[in-house]
């Protein structure tokens, strides 16, 4: 049995930047344990699997654009939301399968998601993720601060735990001790106001099999409304300061976050599975 494998870098400014995602189109769903083993073998932050068959709970697609059922796996677990792998999947579909289309919808664990093509850019539409401010001196923020080697000004809890520090250089220079990380629901985000962009960040999810994620769309679904409140604007620029790095344009529109970036294809191949 052969399965196609595409690897694309999402939110990439240049070759070898952005966040690599594996994209694997399927004729029908394989067993979950095999999907997980494939994601482990690919050894990227996320592997995206999709089929054209929608589950009954998806209902009617939002419009007449191409629609697919999409799932995401880290090397260790299936996740509820992944932005960069959704953008990478859309890029592969729009280039290879529907070159005349400028929009694709995905039914996912987080409901319907959409990606629009705007010339060379892709615009990813995600649900906005709310944050509640917590005391930065509480046990969890302090354990994270110690593991990251920072002194947070503020802390927030949502899907991810967010630590806000004074300056961009503190985000860039953090040297995390992953052995000291506390147990988290998903990830920890370290963020600050930027010098050349509105805000910068780094994202760490060792409990999900991702010590540091290069560029994280889902984290920006939480950071965009947070920084929008702080800065008093709904359109923002962002930079994730991982070693690979990546840039995003972020817009808050009601209860949705729109993230704009570009994808670069790295490889196309075939995976041969045992019968």
């Amino acid at each position: 049995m052969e399965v196609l494998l595409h690897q694309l870098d999402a939110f990439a400014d240049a070759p070898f930047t952005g966040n690599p995602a594996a994209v694997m189109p399927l004729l029908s769903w394989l067993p979950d344990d095999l999907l997980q083993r494939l994601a482990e073998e690919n050894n990227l932050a996320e592997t995206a699997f999709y089929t054209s068959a929608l589950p009954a709970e998806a209902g009617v697609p939002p419009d007449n654009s191409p629609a697919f059922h999409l799932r995401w796996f880290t090397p260790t677990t299936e996740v509820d939301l992944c932005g960069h792998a959704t953008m990478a999947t859309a890029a592969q579909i729009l280039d290879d399968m529907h070159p005349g289309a400028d929009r694709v919808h995905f039914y996912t664990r987080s409901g319907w998601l959409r990606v629009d093509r705007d010339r060379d850019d892709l615009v990813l539409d995600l649900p906005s993720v709310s944050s509640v401010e917590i005391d930065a001196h509480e046990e969890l923020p302090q354990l994270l601060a110690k593991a990251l080697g920072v002194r947070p000004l503020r802390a927030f809890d949502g899907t991810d735990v967010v630590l806000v520090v004074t300056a961009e250089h503190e985000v860039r220079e953090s040297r995390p001790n992953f052995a000291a990380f506390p147990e988290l629901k998903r990830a920890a985000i370290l963020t600050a106001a930027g010098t050349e962009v509105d805000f910068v960040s780094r994202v760490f999810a060792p409990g999900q099999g991702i010590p540091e994620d290069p560029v994280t769309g889902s984290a920006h679904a939480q950071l965009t409304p947070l920084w929008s409140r702080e800065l008093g604007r709904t359109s923002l620029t962002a930079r994730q300061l991982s070693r690979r790095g990546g840039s995003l344009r972020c817009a808050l529109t009601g209860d949705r976050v729109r993230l704009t970036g570009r994808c670069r294809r790295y490889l196309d191949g075939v995976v041969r599975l045992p019968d």
Side-chain angles (χ1 to χ4, degrees), residues 8-32:
L8 299 93
D9 297 332
F11 301 112
D13 305 316
F16 310 114
T17 67
N19 200 349
V23 178
M24 302 188 74
L26 302 174
L27 295 177
S28 60
W29 287 110
L30 301 173
D32 286 4

Side-chain angles (χ1 to χ4, degrees), residues 21-24 38-39 42-49 71-74 85:
V23 178
M24 302 188 74
L38 286 166
N42 291 335
N43 199 31
L44 297 173
E46 261 90 12
T47 295
F49 301 96
R71 297 168 68 186
W72 314 277
F73 287 76
T74 76

Side-chain angles (χ1 to χ4, degrees), residues 95-271:
D95 285 348
D96 296 350
M97 299 171 61
H98 294 280
D102 286 322
R103 173 176 292 178
V104 59
H105 279 95
F106 298 105
Y107 184 76
T108 74
R109 281 188 171 191
S110 294
W112 282 103
L113 307 180
R114 186 181 84 232
V115 179
D116 293 313
R117 177 160 50 189
D118 183 9
R119 298 181 182 177
D120 293 331
D121 292 334
L122 292 169
V123 184
L124 172 64
D125 182 88
L126 298 176
S128 173
V129 177
S130 61
S131 298
V132 176
E133 186 159 11
I134 57 177
D135 188 343
H137 296 95
E138 289 183 3
E139 181 180 14
L140 180 58
Q142 283 300 300
L143 288 172
L144 273 177
K146 184 176 180 180
L148 293 169
V150 298
R151 294 184 177 181
L153 292 175
R154 303 172 72 184
F156 296 84
D157 192 19
T159 299
D160 299 322
V161 178
V162 180
L163 299 185
V164 182
V165 292
T166 304
E168 178 176 314
H169 72 86
E170 296 176 73
V171 177
R172 188 183 303 277
E173 295 167 6
S174 172
R175 297 294 180 266
N177 176 7
F178 294 115
F181 259 59
E183 185 175 345
L184 300 170
K185 288 179 291 186
R186 198 184 77 144
I189 304 173
L190 186 61
T191 187
T195 56
E196 296 182 358
V197 295
D198 291 313
F199 67 90
V200 297
S201 65
R202 290 172 68 187
V203 177
F204 310 97
Q208 303 286 321
I210 309 169
E212 180 169 3
D213 200 31
V215 191
T216 317
S218 57
H220 284 79
Q222 184 171 344
L223 288 171
T224 298
L226 191 158
W227 281 106
S228 179
R229 291 195 304 271
E230 293 295 310
L231 300 176
R233 290 184 281 110
T234 56
S235 294
L236 305 166
T237 56
R239 178 82 182 166
Q240 196 155 323
L241 299 178
S242 64
R243 183 180 60 83
R244 291 176 62 94
S247 299
L248 309 91
R249 301 196 303 276
C250 313
L252 181 64
T253 57
D255 62 354
R256 309 292 293 185
V257 169
R258 291 171 64 81
L259 304 175
T260 300
R262 294 186 176 183
C263 282
R264 291 177 177 266
R265 192 177 298 223
Y266 176 68
L267 67 81
D268 300 292
V270 176
V271 174

